[in-house]
Amino acid sequence: MFLRRLMGLFSLDMGIDLGTCNTLVCVKGEGVVLNEPSVVAVRKGTNEVLDFENEKAVGLVAKEMLGRTPGNITAIRPLKDGVIADFDITEAMLGYFIKKVHGSRIAHPRVVIAVPSGITAVEKRAVYNSAQRAGARRVYLVEEPKAAGIGAQLPINEPTASMIVDIGGGTTEVAIMSLGDIAICESLRVAGDDMDEAIINYMKRAYNLMIGPQTAERIKVDIGSAAPTQQETTLEVKGRDMISGLPRRCVVTSEEVREALKEPVGSIVDSVLRTLEQCEPELASDLVDNGIHLAGGGALLRGLDQVLSKSTGLDVKVVDDPLTCVARGTSEYLDHLDSWRQTMESDEDEY
């Protein structure tokens, strides 16, 4: 017991939202201390992380290289659809982020990592091992919708239904929670990345213009919407002409972007409806009063709350600071670990 307390003095426990697009680290009493893209630049054909201007090419530094690397360098996103696609690169990325936050403290930190509710036991094991080998002393896994509910300060411990729709980069988590655990959940592998891909495909079809993922994301953020807005806008887009092969620019409207996003937005709406259809009558009656809460970066898409409200007939609210909601939930989960232990999805004893 004494040794455990002593180690606690020299370690800095942290909650991690290990996302497909961004990784956020939250520390007790400090809030979100790191928010960087889940991107790593390596030398082609190896797992050697590139050094760029005396700094590891991880996070923000590596994202600037996406689509712009020479032949001997590859910028990799090691997570796909919310799960690890490249074990070694994920380990290197996690180790860099943990070391950056933890500094030169002696003891290794305890870490809570948010994972999609629909991942397999093998995928959970990959996350667990990556975090341990990256320097974590203890690793705990918590489902993303539960972490989002905690971070949004929803009354998920009470005998009433709380519904959260967490739209990340690789997955959309739709969950109804009550009494501290998930009653019904659907993990959909359609999210922010699929919206970007839909915009890329639309630009190919409508304008014969090839654009990259970062340009597509900028279009989505700047003029994207799920429902008509009061003032429709336009944006100049630059890319490569698919016929001539030469650089070209064109102007795209917010109406066109909304049309491009119709399919992924429709998939998310369908997932919410399927989850509600499986809901017990008592939980459904609670949701008439409590409504639906949106979290994650996808929650910032203009008009998405209106579309969901129209489809479900329920009140739909975007939580405060939806981008950091899951990360804040992991930190709070770690603070009250003993009280959550009975409903833990997995902990170190499982492995």
Side-chain angles (χ1 to χ4, degrees):
M1 180 64 73
F2 173 76
L3 181 60
R4 185 175 295 179
R5 288 180 179 176
L6 185 64
M7 291 180 72
L9 293 174
F10 292 99
S11 69
L12 191 68
D13 298 338
M14 59 188 73
I16 300 177
D17 176 11
L18 186 62
T20 305
C21 292
N22 294 284
T23 295
L24 290 84
V25 179
C26 197
V27 173
K28 180 181 178 181
E30 299 181 33
V32 176
V33 295
L34 183 141
N35 182 358
E36 295 204 23
S38 301
V39 185
V40 182
V42 299
R43 297 196 181 280
K44 194 168 185 178
T46 73
N47 288 326
E48 180 189 350
V49 180
L50 190 71
D51 284 313
F52 184 75
E53 296 181 353
N54 297 321
E55 186 177 359
K56 291 290 184 182
V58 179
L60 291 168
V61 175
K63 186 177 181 180
E64 293 298 319
M65 301 180 181
L66 278 175
R68 297 184 174 95
T69 57
N72 63 329
I73 297 172
T74 306
I76 297 173
R77 291 174 60 180
L79 290 106
K80 183 174 176 57
D81 295 334
V83 297
I84 293 176
D86 191 310
F87 185 88
D88 293 328
I89 302 301
T90 301
E91 182 186 324
M93 182 181 75
L94 264 178
Y96 173 80
F97 289 150
I98 289 174
K99 185 177 179 182
K100 189 172 182 178
V101 172
H102 200 252
S104 58
R105 290 171 183 258
I106 300 171
H108 296 289
R110 292 187 306 168
V111 172
V112 170
I113 299 180
V115 295
S117 58
I119 68 172
T120 65
V122 173
E123 290 166 337
K124 289 176 188 172
R125 176 77 186 194
V127 174
Y128 183 86
N129 286 346
S130 290
Q132 271 207 326
R133 290 174 59 178
R137 179 172 94 249
R138 288 281 179 89
V139 182
Y140 304 92
L141 306 183
V142 58
E143 302 104 319
E144 283 179 4
K146 187 187 291 187
I150 297 170
Q153 302 294 311
L154 299 183
I156 66 172
N157 279 324
E158 297 177 12
T160 185
S162 298
M163 185 168 186
I164 193 107
V165 180
D166 176 29
I167 308 168
T171 61
T172 294
E173 304 287 322
V174 183
I176 299 172
M177 293 167 285
S178 178
L179 293 170
D181 210 348
I182 294 174
I184 302 161
C185 184
E186 179 168 327
S187 183
L188 179 71
R189 297 198 175 185
V190 174
D193 283 352
D194 297 274
M195 295 180 188
D196 297 342
E197 189 65 31
I199 292 172
I200 290 172
N201 292 333
Y202 181 86
M203 296 302 294
K204 289 178 184 177
R205 293 194 310 269
Y207 292 97
N208 286 320
L209 191 72
M210 181 77 74
I211 61 171
Q214 292 195 70
T215 300
E217 184 180 18
R218 183 170 63 87
I219 295 171
K220 177 183 69 179
V221 171
D222 289 352
I223 64 171
S225 66
T229 56
Q230 289 184 345
Q231 185 175 357
E232 301 293 352
T233 54
T234 61
L235 184 70
E236 184 181 80
V237 178
K238 302 167 189 173
R240 177 167 57 84
D241 191 291
M242 295 175 63
I243 298 174
S244 67
L246 299 175
R248 179 166 66 85
R249 70 182 71 193
C250 70
V251 175
V252 64
T253 67
S254 54
E255 294 100 320
E256 290 176 301
V257 178
R258 186 161 57 250
E259 179 65 28
L261 294 174
K262 188 175 289 186
E263 185 175 339
V265 168
S267 296
I268 293 170
V269 172
D270 290 343
S271 179
V272 172
L273 293 174
R274 282 195 302 269
T275 304
L276 287 170
E277 287 167 2
Q278 300 172 49
C279 186
E280 293 291 335
E282 293 298 335
L283 293 176
S285 66
D286 292 338
L287 293 176
V288 174
D289 296 322
N290 300 339
I292 300 172
H293 293 80
L294 301 183
L300 297 173
L301 182 68
R302 298 171 190 84
L304 182 58
D305 53 345
Q306 300 170 34
V307 171
L308 282 170
S309 182
K310 184 177 179 181
S311 300
T312 62
L314 300 174
D315 290 334
V316 180
K317 303 172 185 174
V318 179
V319 304
D320 294 335
D321 199 1
L323 284 168
T324 65
C325 187
V326 173
R328 287 183 279 116
T330 59
S331 178
E332 195 166 327
Y333 185 92
L334 186 57
D335 291 345
H336 303 91
L337 200 58
D338 291 336
S339 62
W340 285 108
R341 193 175 289 276
Q342 289 184 343
T343 61
M344 290 178 70
E345 170 70 15
S346 57
D347 61 26
E348 75 282 1
D349 298 329
E350 188 174 331
Y351 301 98

